[in-house]
Amino acid sequence: MSYGDKTVVDDVSFSVARGTIAAILGPNGAGKTTTIESCEGLRTPVSGTISLLGLDRVAGDAEIRRRVGVMLQDGGLPQAPTAAAVLSHISKLHRNTRDVRELLDLLELTDHSKTKVRHLSGGQRQRLSLACALVGNPDLVFLDEPSAGMDPASRRTLHGMIRNLAASGTTVVLTTHLMDEAETLADQVIVMRDGTIIADGPASELLGGRSMWIEGAHAETLRQILSPDLPGYEFLGRGDQLEIFGKNPATPGDLAKVAAALDRHAINTVSVSLRPRSLEDLYFDLVEVQ
């Protein structure tokens, strides 16, 4: 996708298996929303092909609209009608629909069903947008920042619904800035930066197990001291924190090497530990540092 001379999505290629949850991550401007909106049919790429549910995005548009649900980043909801009226209207546009009252209850909107959309809170509007995306019983659903503006309780409800969707065979593709949300939900993680994909795979494979963490000393000084003893490892510094990781999970033996090197150089640190890599660690490694 290009706008004039500026290419905002460049050779992005990925596939998502049916009945799984894929999370697309990346900083603002990485091309996430443009990619999702191209899949949804809201934008037309200048080149490339998009296939949804085995159908060409353009040629199969009518069938795709029937089988795909969309939750936009900004909601896109009319402001004057009530929540129930909006959901009922969307329901009438589909053949095979979920019960409107059931969805309102499931998303904790029954008490607000007669409230005009403009008077709903941000989290309530998000839940209504999700209900609109799900009311047509889609085989595939796109969720753009689905939990934005939600409180912790509403987010937990949302996560439960997303897991249930995938368990029932619905494919879910979502974008989020919340690393814990992606780590909790996603079977597949796709990381974008500058309009390209820089990582794609199961979260467990991308994270690579445990890493070593040293806190309390200057990260660059530690890297210079430790790198000769740990060939093949990557060093990621953040102020007075240094993360050390490799393709294989770090072991207690590796930790002993670190402790011995620190002792030789008389480096007194706050802590040296082994801990699982998180998706946030991976994200900073791929996006913020490079």
Short mmCIF file of all heavy atoms in Angstrom, two decimals, residues 107-152:
data_model
loop_
_atom_site.label_atom_id
_atom_site.label_comp_id
_atom_site.label_asym_id
_atom_site.label_seq_id
_atom_site.Cartn_x
_atom_site.Cartn_y
_atom_site.Cartn_z
N LEU A 107 -22.21 -9.38 26.84
CA LEU A 107 -21.26 -8.27 26.88
C LEU A 107 -21.63 -7.21 27.91
O LEU A 107 -21.14 -6.09 27.86
CB LEU A 107 -21.14 -7.64 25.48
CG LEU A 107 -20.39 -8.52 24.49
CD1 LEU A 107 -20.61 -8.07 23.06
CD2 LEU A 107 -18.90 -8.52 24.81
N GLU A 108 -22.53 -7.60 28.81
CA GLU A 108 -22.90 -6.75 29.94
C GLU A 108 -23.43 -5.38 29.49
O GLU A 108 -23.09 -4.34 30.03
CB GLU A 108 -21.70 -6.57 30.89
CG GLU A 108 -21.19 -7.90 31.44
CD GLU A 108 -19.91 -7.75 32.25
OE1 GLU A 108 -19.41 -6.62 32.37
OE2 GLU A 108 -19.41 -8.77 32.76
N LEU A 109 -24.29 -5.44 28.48
CA LEU A 109 -24.88 -4.21 27.93
C LEU A 109 -26.40 -4.16 28.11
O LEU A 109 -27.03 -3.19 27.70
CB LEU A 109 -24.56 -4.08 26.44
CG LEU A 109 -23.11 -3.74 26.08
CD1 LEU A 109 -22.88 -3.91 24.59
CD2 LEU A 109 -22.77 -2.31 26.52
N THR A 110 -26.98 -5.18 28.74
CA THR A 110 -28.43 -5.23 28.88
C THR A 110 -28.96 -4.01 29.63
O THR A 110 -29.97 -3.41 29.22
CB THR A 110 -28.85 -6.52 29.62
OG1 THR A 110 -28.43 -7.66 28.86
CG2 THR A 110 -30.36 -6.57 29.78
N ASP A 111 -28.28 -3.60 30.69
CA ASP A 111 -28.73 -2.45 31.47
C ASP A 111 -28.57 -1.14 30.71
O ASP A 111 -29.11 -0.11 31.14
CB ASP A 111 -27.97 -2.38 32.79
CG ASP A 111 -28.32 -3.51 33.74
OD1 ASP A 111 -29.37 -4.15 33.52
OD2 ASP A 111 -27.54 -3.77 34.68
N HIS A 112 -27.82 -1.17 29.63
CA HIS A 112 -27.58 0.05 28.84
C HIS A 112 -28.18 -0.06 27.44
O HIS A 112 -27.88 0.76 26.57
CB HIS A 112 -26.07 0.30 28.72
CG HIS A 112 -25.34 0.26 30.03
ND1 HIS A 112 -25.39 1.30 30.94
CD2 HIS A 112 -24.58 -0.70 30.60
CE1 HIS A 112 -24.68 0.98 32.01
NE2 HIS A 112 -24.18 -0.23 31.83
N SER A 113 -29.05 -1.04 27.23
CA SER A 113 -29.58 -1.29 25.89
C SER A 113 -30.42 -0.13 25.38
O SER A 113 -30.51 0.09 24.17
CB SER A 113 -30.41 -2.58 25.88
OG SER A 113 -31.50 -2.48 26.78
N LYS A 114 -31.04 0.63 26.27
CA LYS A 114 -31.88 1.76 25.86
C LYS A 114 -31.13 3.09 25.92
O LYS A 114 -31.73 4.15 25.74
CB LYS A 114 -33.14 1.81 26.73
CG LYS A 114 -34.03 0.59 26.55
CD LYS A 114 -35.30 0.69 27.38
CE LYS A 114 -36.18 -0.54 27.18
NZ LYS A 114 -37.44 -0.46 27.99
N THR A 115 -29.82 3.02 26.18
CA THR A 115 -29.00 4.23 26.22
C THR A 115 -28.51 4.57 24.82
O THR A 115 -28.09 3.68 24.07
CB THR A 115 -27.77 4.02 27.14
OG1 THR A 115 -28.24 3.66 28.44
CG2 THR A 115 -26.93 5.28 27.22
N LYS A 116 -28.57 5.85 24.47
CA LYS A 116 -28.06 6.25 23.17
C LYS A 116 -26.56 6.05 23.12
O LYS A 116 -25.87 6.23 24.13
CB LYS A 116 -28.41 7.72 22.89
CG LYS A 116 -29.91 7.96 22.69
CD LYS A 116 -30.19 9.39 22.29
CE LYS A 116 -31.68 9.59 22.01
NZ LYS A 116 -31.98 10.99 21.60
N VAL A 117 -26.07 5.69 21.96
CA VAL A 117 -24.65 5.37 21.81
C VAL A 117 -23.77 6.51 22.28
O VAL A 117 -22.74 6.30 22.91
CB VAL A 117 -24.34 5.00 20.34
CG1 VAL A 117 -22.83 4.82 20.12
CG2 VAL A 117 -25.07 3.72 19.94
N ARG A 118 -24.18 7.75 22.01
CA ARG A 118 -23.35 8.89 22.38
C ARG A 118 -23.17 9.02 23.89
O ARG A 118 -22.22 9.65 24.35
CB ARG A 118 -23.94 10.19 21.81
CG ARG A 118 -25.23 10.63 22.43
CD ARG A 118 -25.51 12.11 22.12
NE ARG A 118 -25.61 12.34 20.68
CZ ARG A 118 -26.76 12.40 20.00
NH1 ARG A 118 -27.92 12.23 20.64
NH2 ARG A 118 -26.78 12.65 18.72
N HIS A 119 -24.07 8.40 24.64
CA HIS A 119 -23.99 8.50 26.10
C HIS A 119 -23.33 7.28 26.74
O HIS A 119 -23.19 7.24 27.97
CB HIS A 119 -25.40 8.68 26.68
CG HIS A 119 -26.07 9.96 26.26
ND1 HIS A 119 -25.46 11.19 26.36
CD2 HIS A 119 -27.29 10.18 25.71
CE1 HIS A 119 -26.27 12.13 25.91
NE2 HIS A 119 -27.40 11.55 25.50
N LEU A 120 -22.93 6.31 25.94
CA LEU A 120 -22.22 5.15 26.48
C LEU A 120 -20.78 5.53 26.82
O LEU A 120 -20.20 6.42 26.20
CB LEU A 120 -22.21 4.01 25.46
CG LEU A 120 -23.55 3.38 25.09
CD1 LEU A 120 -23.34 2.36 23.97
CD2 LEU A 120 -24.21 2.73 26.30
N SER A 121 -20.21 4.86 27.79
CA SER A 121 -18.80 5.07 28.09
C SER A 121 -17.95 4.48 26.98
O SER A 121 -18.43 3.72 26.12
CB SER A 121 -18.43 4.40 29.43
OG SER A 121 -18.49 2.99 29.30
N GLY A 122 -16.65 4.79 27.00
CA GLY A 122 -15.76 4.27 25.97
C GLY A 122 -15.74 2.74 25.95
O GLY A 122 -15.80 2.12 24.89
N GLY A 123 -15.66 2.14 27.14
CA GLY A 123 -15.66 0.69 27.22
C GLY A 123 -16.97 0.07 26.75
O GLY A 123 -16.98 -0.98 26.10
N GLN A 124 -18.09 0.73 27.05
CA GLN A 124 -19.39 0.22 26.61
C GLN A 124 -19.52 0.31 25.10
O GLN A 124 -20.06 -0.62 24.46
CB GLN A 124 -20.51 1.01 27.30
CG GLN A 124 -20.63 0.73 28.79
CD GLN A 124 -21.43 1.78 29.53
OE1 GLN A 124 -21.84 2.81 28.97
NE2 GLN A 124 -21.66 1.54 30.81
N ARG A 125 -19.01 1.37 24.50
CA ARG A 125 -19.04 1.47 23.03
C ARG A 125 -18.18 0.38 22.39
O ARG A 125 -18.53 -0.17 21.35
CB ARG A 125 -18.58 2.86 22.58
CG ARG A 125 -19.63 3.94 22.76
CD ARG A 125 -19.29 5.20 21.97
NE ARG A 125 -18.09 5.84 22.46
CZ ARG A 125 -18.06 6.76 23.43
NH1 ARG A 125 -19.21 7.13 23.99
NH2 ARG A 125 -16.94 7.30 23.83
N GLN A 126 -17.03 0.08 23.03
CA GLN A 126 -16.18 -0.99 22.52
C GLN A 126 -16.93 -2.32 22.55
O GLN A 126 -16.86 -3.12 21.60
CB GLN A 126 -14.90 -1.10 23.35
CG GLN A 126 -13.86 -0.03 23.06
CD GLN A 126 -13.28 -0.18 21.68
OE1 GLN A 126 -13.74 0.45 20.72
NE2 GLN A 126 -12.26 -1.00 21.55
N ARG A 127 -17.64 -2.58 23.64
CA ARG A 127 -18.37 -3.84 23.75
C ARG A 127 -19.52 -3.90 22.74
O ARG A 127 -19.81 -4.97 22.18
CB ARG A 127 -18.89 -4.03 25.18
CG ARG A 127 -17.78 -4.12 26.21
CD ARG A 127 -18.21 -4.82 27.48
NE ARG A 127 -19.30 -4.16 28.17
CZ ARG A 127 -19.14 -3.17 29.05
NH1 ARG A 127 -17.94 -2.70 29.32
NH2 ARG A 127 -20.19 -2.64 29.66
N LEU A 128 -20.15 -2.76 22.48
CA LEU A 128 -21.20 -2.73 21.46
C LEU A 128 -20.61 -2.97 20.07
O LEU A 128 -21.20 -3.68 19.25
CB LEU A 128 -21.94 -1.39 21.51
CG LEU A 128 -23.06 -1.20 20.47
CD1 LEU A 128 -24.13 -2.28 20.62
CD2 LEU A 128 -23.67 0.20 20.60
N SER A 129 -19.45 -2.40 19.80
CA SER A 129 -18.79 -2.64 18.51
C SER A 129 -18.47 -4.12 18.34
O SER A 129 -18.61 -4.67 17.25
CB SER A 129 -17.49 -1.82 18.43
OG SER A 129 -17.76 -0.44 18.39
N LEU A 130 -18.02 -4.76 19.42
CA LEU A 130 -17.73 -6.18 19.36
C LEU A 130 -19.02 -6.97 19.10
O LEU A 130 -19.02 -7.91 18.29
CB LEU A 130 -17.09 -6.64 20.67
CG LEU A 130 -16.79 -8.14 20.77
CD1 LEU A 130 -15.81 -8.57 19.69
CD2 LEU A 130 -16.22 -8.47 22.16
N ALA A 131 -20.09 -6.59 19.76
CA ALA A 131 -21.38 -7.27 19.53
C ALA A 131 -21.80 -7.16 18.07
O ALA A 131 -22.28 -8.13 17.47
CB ALA A 131 -22.46 -6.67 20.44
N CYS A 132 -21.60 -5.99 17.46
CA CYS A 132 -21.95 -5.80 16.05
C CYS A 132 -21.10 -6.68 15.14
O CYS A 132 -21.56 -7.16 14.10
CB CYS A 132 -21.78 -4.33 15.66
SG CYS A 132 -23.00 -3.21 16.42
N ALA A 133 -19.85 -6.89 15.54
CA ALA A 133 -18.96 -7.74 14.74
C ALA A 133 -19.34 -9.21 14.85
O ALA A 133 -19.07 -9.99 13.92
CB ALA A 133 -17.51 -7.55 15.19
N LEU A 134 -19.97 -9.60 15.95
CA LEU A 134 -20.25 -11.02 16.20
C LEU A 134 -21.69 -11.42 15.91
O LEU A 134 -21.97 -12.62 15.83
CB LEU A 134 -19.94 -11.36 17.67
CG LEU A 134 -18.51 -11.12 18.15
CD1 LEU A 134 -18.37 -11.55 19.60
CD2 LEU A 134 -17.52 -11.86 17.27
N VAL A 135 -22.58 -10.47 15.74
CA VAL A 135 -24.00 -10.79 15.64
C VAL A 135 -24.32 -11.62 14.41
O VAL A 135 -25.30 -12.36 14.38
CB VAL A 135 -24.86 -9.50 15.67
CG1 VAL A 135 -24.72 -8.73 14.36
CG2 VAL A 135 -26.32 -9.81 16.00
N GLY A 136 -23.49 -11.54 13.36
CA GLY A 136 -23.73 -12.31 12.14
C GLY A 136 -23.12 -13.70 12.16
O GLY A 136 -23.06 -14.35 11.11
N ASN A 137 -22.67 -14.18 13.31
CA ASN A 137 -22.04 -15.50 13.42
C ASN A 137 -20.90 -15.68 12.41
O ASN A 137 -20.91 -16.62 11.60
CB ASN A 137 -23.08 -16.62 13.23
CG ASN A 137 -23.64 -17.13 14.54
OD1 ASN A 137 -22.91 -17.24 15.53
ND2 ASN A 137 -24.93 -17.42 14.56
N PRO A 138 -19.89 -14.82 12.42
CA PRO A 138 -18.84 -14.88 11.40
C PRO A 138 -17.92 -16.09 11.56
O PRO A 138 -17.74 -16.61 12.66
CB PRO A 138 -18.07 -13.58 11.64
CG PRO A 138 -18.25 -13.30 13.10
CD PRO A 138 -19.65 -13.75 13.41
N ASP A 139 -17.35 -16.52 10.43
CA ASP A 139 -16.32 -17.56 10.45
C ASP A 139 -14.94 -16.96 10.71
O ASP A 139 -14.01 -17.66 11.11
CB ASP A 139 -16.28 -18.30 9.11
CG ASP A 139 -17.57 -19.05 8.84
OD1 ASP A 139 -18.06 -19.73 9.77
OD2 ASP A 139 -18.11 -18.96 7.72
N LEU A 140 -14.83 -15.67 10.44
CA LEU A 140 -13.58 -14.93 10.63
C LEU A 140 -13.93 -13.56 11.17
O LEU A 140 -14.86 -12.92 10.67
CB LEU A 140 -12.83 -14.80 9.30
CG LEU A 140 -11.68 -13.80 9.20
CD1 LEU A 140 -10.52 -14.20 10.11
CD2 LEU A 140 -11.19 -13.70 7.74
N VAL A 141 -13.19 -13.10 12.19
CA VAL A 141 -13.48 -11.79 12.75
C VAL A 141 -12.19 -11.00 12.92
O VAL A 141 -11.17 -11.54 13.35
CB VAL A 141 -14.25 -11.90 14.10
CG1 VAL A 141 -13.43 -12.62 15.15
CG2 VAL A 141 -14.68 -10.54 14.61
N PHE A 142 -12.23 -9.73 12.50
CA PHE A 142 -11.11 -8.81 12.68
C PHE A 142 -11.44 -7.86 13.82
O PHE A 142 -12.49 -7.21 13.82
CB PHE A 142 -10.87 -7.99 11.40
CG PHE A 142 -10.34 -8.79 10.26
CD1 PHE A 142 -11.18 -9.23 9.25
CD2 PHE A 142 -8.98 -9.09 10.17
CE1 PHE A 142 -10.70 -9.97 8.18
CE2 PHE A 142 -8.49 -9.83 9.11
CZ PHE A 142 -9.34 -10.27 8.11
N LEU A 143 -10.52 -7.77 14.79
CA LEU A 143 -10.72 -6.91 15.96
C LEU A 143 -9.55 -5.93 16.04
O LEU A 143 -8.42 -6.34 16.30
CB LEU A 143 -10.79 -7.75 17.24
CG LEU A 143 -11.80 -8.91 17.24
CD1 LEU A 143 -11.69 -9.70 18.54
CD2 LEU A 143 -13.22 -8.39 17.05
N ASP A 144 -9.80 -4.65 15.81
CA ASP A 144 -8.75 -3.64 15.83
C ASP A 144 -8.78 -2.93 17.17
O ASP A 144 -9.69 -2.17 17.47
CB ASP A 144 -8.98 -2.64 14.69
CG ASP A 144 -7.70 -1.89 14.32
OD1 ASP A 144 -6.69 -2.04 15.03
OD2 ASP A 144 -7.71 -1.15 13.31
N GLU A 145 -7.77 -3.20 18.01
CA GLU A 145 -7.68 -2.65 19.37
C GLU A 145 -8.97 -2.91 20.15
O GLU A 145 -9.62 -1.98 20.65
CB GLU A 145 -7.39 -1.14 19.32
CG GLU A 145 -6.09 -0.76 18.66
CD GLU A 145 -4.87 -1.13 19.49
OE1 GLU A 145 -5.03 -1.38 20.70
OE2 GLU A 145 -3.77 -1.18 18.92
N PRO A 146 -9.37 -4.18 20.30
CA PRO A 146 -10.70 -4.47 20.86
C PRO A 146 -10.89 -4.05 22.31
O PRO A 146 -12.02 -3.76 22.71
CB PRO A 146 -10.79 -6.00 20.73
CG PRO A 146 -9.38 -6.47 20.69
CD PRO A 146 -8.63 -5.40 19.96
N SER A 147 -9.83 -4.01 23.11
CA SER A 147 -10.01 -3.72 24.54
C SER A 147 -9.71 -2.27 24.89
O SER A 147 -9.67 -1.92 26.08
CB SER A 147 -9.14 -4.65 25.39
OG SER A 147 -7.77 -4.43 25.12
N ALA A 148 -9.51 -1.42 23.90
CA ALA A 148 -9.22 0.00 24.17
C ALA A 148 -10.35 0.62 24.98
O ALA A 148 -11.53 0.50 24.63
CB ALA A 148 -9.03 0.76 22.86
N GLY A 149 -10.01 1.26 26.08
CA GLY A 149 -11.00 1.95 26.90
C GLY A 149 -11.75 1.06 27.87
O GLY A 149 -12.62 1.54 28.60
N MET A 150 -11.44 -0.24 27.88
CA MET A 150 -12.15 -1.15 28.78
C MET A 150 -11.49 -1.22 30.14
O MET A 150 -10.25 -1.16 30.25
CB MET A 150 -12.20 -2.56 28.18
CG MET A 150 -13.13 -2.71 27.00
SD MET A 150 -13.30 -4.45 26.52
CE MET A 150 -14.46 -4.30 25.15
N ASP A 151 -12.29 -1.40 31.18
CA ASP A 151 -11.74 -1.62 32.51
C ASP A 151 -11.30 -3.08 32.63
O ASP A 151 -11.61 -3.90 31.77
CB ASP A 151 -12.76 -1.25 33.59
CG ASP A 151 -14.05 -2.05 33.48
OD1 ASP A 151 -13.98 -3.28 33.27
OD2 ASP A 151 -15.13 -1.44 33.60
N PRO A 152 -10.54 -3.44 33.67
CA PRO A 152 -10.03 -4.81 33.79
C PRO A 152 -11.11 -5.88 33.74
O PRO A 152 -10.91 -6.95 33.15
CB PRO A 152 -9.30 -4.79 35.13
CG PRO A 152 -8.86 -3.38 35.30
CD PRO A 152 -9.97 -2.55 34.71
#
